[in-house]
Amino acid sequence: MTKATGSQRLLPTSARGLPSAFWWIWLSILVNWTGGFVGPLLTLYMTSERGYSAAHAGAVISLIGLGGVLGTIGGGIAADRFGRRSTLFAAHCWTAVCMTSLGLVQAGWAIAVAAFAMGAGAAAARPAMQAALADVVPPEDRQRAFALNYWALNLGVAVSSVLAGVMVTHGYVLVFVADAAATALCAVLVMAKVPETRPRTAPKGSRSAEARPQQKDANDGSVWKDRPFLAFCFAALLFACVFQQGSTMLPIVVARDGHDPTVFTWLHALNGVLIVTLQVALTRLVRERSRAGTLLAASLLLAVGFGLMAFADGVMAYALCVVIWTFGEMLQAPAGSSVAADRAPERLRGRYQGLYGTAWTAAAFLAPAGGGLLLDFGGPGVLWGVCAALAVVAGVIWAWITGPLSKLARHEFRSGVRAGNGSPSPAGSPSRESHPNTELRGQPS
């Protein structure tokens, strides 16, 4: 663990010992999400301001998700090829331009193009940010670093939701322009303060270059050939599809039960409050636990929380379910990102984070349609039952892939963290001694 400086001793224990580059990345995330004013209001903007149908508005939002799928893959490749900082700067600038265009264009086709382009730009920054974090934070500190990032993300969402409600009274154009300005400010912050962290390729003939063929991974230089990681990302897709129902189908179910729309806003707020108040402490509590156990527990909590909603018959029952699956969300977010960071060879970190992020952006595209079909043709009981089953499957896959008894884990992972953590990192990934000198809007970090 990095030794804490004098100024860092003023920080809480859970925040000490992390390098200064991490904190600039953390601050950029906080700025970006605090300025995420459009997200909570986009559906209302499409329907009430533009006069489009709910189906049309849903199609536009799906285009953002589709753009995000391509953006995460492209952003990962760009981060490895051109550098983390350059990719972050370009992605934020592109997103700011597209966000402004989305609020100003009038034609339906132009709105669709702007939405797709904005989704691609916003998602492209995520793998670059996470790769930069993995570059500067030692393996044993990554889980709490990702937890601090997720805390900043949710704090930003809470603040932006309040500010967006105030700004929309002055018109939607202000909301879009302010969002774009915050994204541009994030780009300036990255270029001014975040160093380029991409590891340099070892010169030919050097000892590290000569040793590299002996450290060859099972992926043979391509993330798409890393079957254990592909299975890990498939489990993430299942988990994310269940998680998405909390913001897509849950408000519909709550309304059909006869509750006022404000009930869902309070449930949504409960989720955010729990994360802001408990995320860092919970991550510190489980930091010595194996990530296999942590991810399995996260999936089971998600399964129980969503499964029990099939029997919820009042506001307090829904609130209890939200509390249960929020704990699963808080366990999964840092642990999942940490496993993805530890698994990747340093020259492929952007691609690995891009593929992992694609699981979440793909879920944002697939989950609303799938959840809607289950709800319409099967009812809430079928929807929540399927959610519970998918979450359990995700947990079993994660436990098998990352567990210490797994044959894949024994032969393809080596320990890169202090004893007791049980967090696997790949053969060929840099050791602590060789370590070189993180959602973005859309999905958890």
Side-chain angles (χ1 to χ4, degrees):
M1 183 182 297
T2 307
K3 186 177 180 180
T5 63
S7 60
Q8 287 182 336
R9 293 191 182 97
L10 300 176
L11 297 172
T13 303
S14 58
R16 294 177 187 172
L18 296 171
S20 59
F22 163 79
W23 289 110
W24 288 116
I25 296 171
W26 181 90
L27 182 60
S28 72
I29 293 171
L30 181 61
V31 170
N32 196 28
W33 283 88
T34 301
F37 308 119
V38 171
L41 300 173
L42 185 57
T43 303
L44 289 176
Y45 168 75
M46 295 294 297
T47 54
S48 63
E49 183 75 4
R50 293 296 189 183
Y52 293 122
S53 65
H56 193 152
V60 171
I61 294 174
S62 293
L63 284 174
I64 295 176
L66 181 60
V69 172
L70 300 179
T72 50
I73 297 175
I77 295 173
D80 287 336
R81 182 168 298 178
F82 305 112
R84 304 359 177 171
R85 185 172 71 160
S86 299
T87 302
L88 281 169
F89 180 76
H92 288 320
C93 289
W94 176 265
T95 303
V97 172
C98 294
M99 182 67 73
T100 303
S101 301
L102 184 59
L104 296 179
V105 296
Q106 299 293 324
W109 67 267
I111 291 175
V113 171
F116 177 85
M118 190 268 290
R126 184 175 189 268
M129 178 273 294
Q130 292 188 323
L133 187 150
D135 291 337
V136 302
V137 177
E140 67 268 23
D141 289 331
R142 284 177 187 160
Q143 187 156 325
R144 68 186 179 103
F146 279 113
L148 287 167
N149 278 1
Y150 198 54
W151 181 87
L153 183 156
N154 281 277
L155 178 61
V157 168
V159 175
S160 66
S161 297
V162 175
L163 295 179
V166 175
M167 285 190 292
V168 74
T169 60
H170 301 282
Y172 279 97
V173 172
L174 175 62
V175 177
F176 281 91
V177 172
D179 194 313
T183 306
L185 176 60
C186 185
V188 172
L189 179 62
V190 166
M191 187 55 65
K193 292 296 184 179
V194 176
E196 178 52 63
T197 64
R198 183 181 56 162
R200 296 180 179 180
T201 303
K204 293 183 179 180
S206 65
R207 292 181 63 184
S208 58
E210 293 172 356
R212 185 161 296 169
Q214 300 175 2
Q215 297 176 343
K216 191 174 182 181
D217 285 314
N219 59 22
D220 195 26
S222 172
V223 64
W224 298 104
K225 295 180 181 180
D226 189 346
R227 292 182 180 179
F229 189 70
L230 292 177
F232 181 85
C233 291
F234 176 71
L237 174 63
L238 298 181
F239 187 98
C241 282
V242 176
F243 176 76
Q244 286 288 333
Q245 306 308 321
S247 58
T248 56
M249 294 301 109
L250 180 57
I252 298 175
V253 173
V254 169
R256 288 183 179 181
D257 283 351
H259 297 293
D260 188 87
T262 57
V263 170
F264 174 73
T265 64
W266 283 108
L267 293 174
H268 185 69
L270 175 62
N271 170 259
V273 168
L274 287 171
I275 293 172
V276 171
T277 56
L278 298 177
Q279 175 71 76
V280 175
L282 181 62
T283 302
R284 184 181 178 187
L285 182 65
V286 302
R287 66 181 178 179
E288 300 297 335
R289 305 295 181 182
S290 70
R291 289 189 188 152
T294 300
L295 290 170
L296 178 59
S299 300
L300 293 179
L301 285 169
L302 196 77
V304 172
F306 277 91
L308 286 177
M309 285 198 287
F311 308 99
D313 58 358
V315 175
M316 293 305 296
Y318 281 117
L320 176 61
C321 294
V322 169
V323 169
I324 294 172
W325 60 254
T326 297
F327 272 91
E329 174 190 356
M330 289 190 287
L331 288 175
Q332 191 281 333
S337 296
S338 299
V339 170
D342 290 347
R343 177 63 181 167
E346 62 181 27
R347 61 191 172 85
L348 297 176
R349 280 178 182 150
R351 289 172 173 86
Y352 270 72
Q353 293 294 345
L355 182 58
Y356 178 64
T358 299
W360 291 89
T361 51
F365 178 67
L366 297 173
L373 289 174
L374 289 173
L375 184 60
D376 285 343
F377 293 101
V382 172
L383 171 64
W384 303 134
V386 171
C387 284
L390 291 178
V392 170
V393 172
V396 171
I397 295 175
W398 275 333
W400 176 63
I401 290 297
T402 63
L405 299 180
S406 168
K407 181 178 179 181
L408 290 172
R410 287 200 307 272
H411 289 280
E412 298 185 31
F413 290 84
R414 66 172 176 82
S415 177
V417 294
R418 62 178 176 267
N421 191 297
S423 306
S425 63
S429 66
S431 65
R432 181 176 175 183
E433 290 74 14
S434 64
H435 204 277
N437 19 326
T438 99
E439 155 112 307
L440 194 66
R441 298 173 196 166
Q443 60 273 353
S445 298

